Amino acid sequence: QFELQGTKNMEGRNFQDGDSFTFHVSADDGSPLPSKVDGSGNVTIRPTEDTSATIDFGTIEITQPGTYTYHITEQVTGIDGVDYDSTTHTVTLVATDDGQGGLDVKMTTDQSALVWTNTWTFTEPVPFSLDGIKTLIGHELANSQFTFKVEALSGAPMGSSMTANFNGDATQNEDGSWSAPVTLLSGIEFTNPGEYTYEITELNDRQVGYTYDTSIFRVTVTVADNGDLTQEVKKSVDNGKNWTAAEAVEFVNRYETSEDATLDGATNL
């Protein structure tokens, strides 16, 4: 008996539910097929995790001395985004009399060389964009009045995003404050799974009477192996020392005239 195994590798993502990989085994000159080869000459594996899996072809029952040759090729099973390994591996077993009534079976090549490596890439890029909110208390908010900086960390793609952005047209809220949208990230297309992080701050351009929001927002976008996208927003108000979860990227400024400040001071007194 000889146990025949190989290795299936995946580059670009982990194996996941629904993956299946099929290998066709043909034998020369009537060599006995491995025990797990089906009636069509195939062995199929269905790994669901990690990036490497064992291919168990089963046991080859050899009863006579001789040379036994097999050719193994991976079949294309049509998984989206997978580039299949087209290598045909030839396996040669040599069985000799061991002098004790049995057979000594050896493989002429290293079994560890029976490796098929597939490569996965997204079939379509995963798009992403992000808008923020600018809120102003105490004064009407003008279009493009405030500036917001976006920094991509660790090589995260920027697409058509600008590193400096301005607020749009504002509408008044029920409490009298004003809010406007801010386009922060746009035209981004993720082509690989992973984590992508962006930091967003407001530029203090020292407009008279305004108190600026000094918060730092960190947006982490996670692209899963199957292309699913999630985002997490965190906020720091102490220059990045501590972070808390935030529902949105919103900067809140306040406007106060010198007269307002004096009146406030008199009230406090």
Side-chain angles (χ1 to χ4, degrees), residues 136-151:
L136 178 60
I137 299 171
H139 196 282
E140 183 175 353
L141 174 61
N143 185 295
S144 303
Q145 183 173 354
F146 296 102
T147 306
F148 308 88
K149 297 173 63 178
V150 178
E151 180 183 2

Side-chain angles (χ1 to χ4, degrees), residues 2 21 61 235 264:
F2 185 87
F21 303 94
E61 296 286 347
K235 177 180 178 179
D264 287 344

Side-chain angles (χ1 to χ4, degrees), residues 124-181:
E124 294 182 0
V126 179
F128 179 71
S129 61
L130 178 69
D131 290 339
I133 304 169
K134 177 68 226 177
T135 296
L136 178 60
I137 299 171
H139 196 282
E140 183 175 353
L141 174 61
N143 185 295
S144 303
Q145 183 173 354
F146 296 102
T147 306
F148 308 88
K149 297 173 63 178
V150 178
E151 180 183 2
L153 305 184
S154 302
M158 286 288 286
S160 58
S161 311
M162 304 293 289
T163 55
N165 305 273
F166 306 94
N167 61 273
D169 290 328
T171 57
Q172 191 168 26
N173 303 311
E174 291 183 0
D175 62 3
S177 64
W178 294 79
S179 293

Side-chain angles (χ1 to χ4, degrees), residues 3-4 6 51 65-66 110 131 141 153 214 220 226 264:
E3 297 286 340
L4 183 62
T51 58
D110 188 349
D131 290 339
L141 174 61
L153 305 184
T214 60
T220 300
N226 63 2
D264 287 344

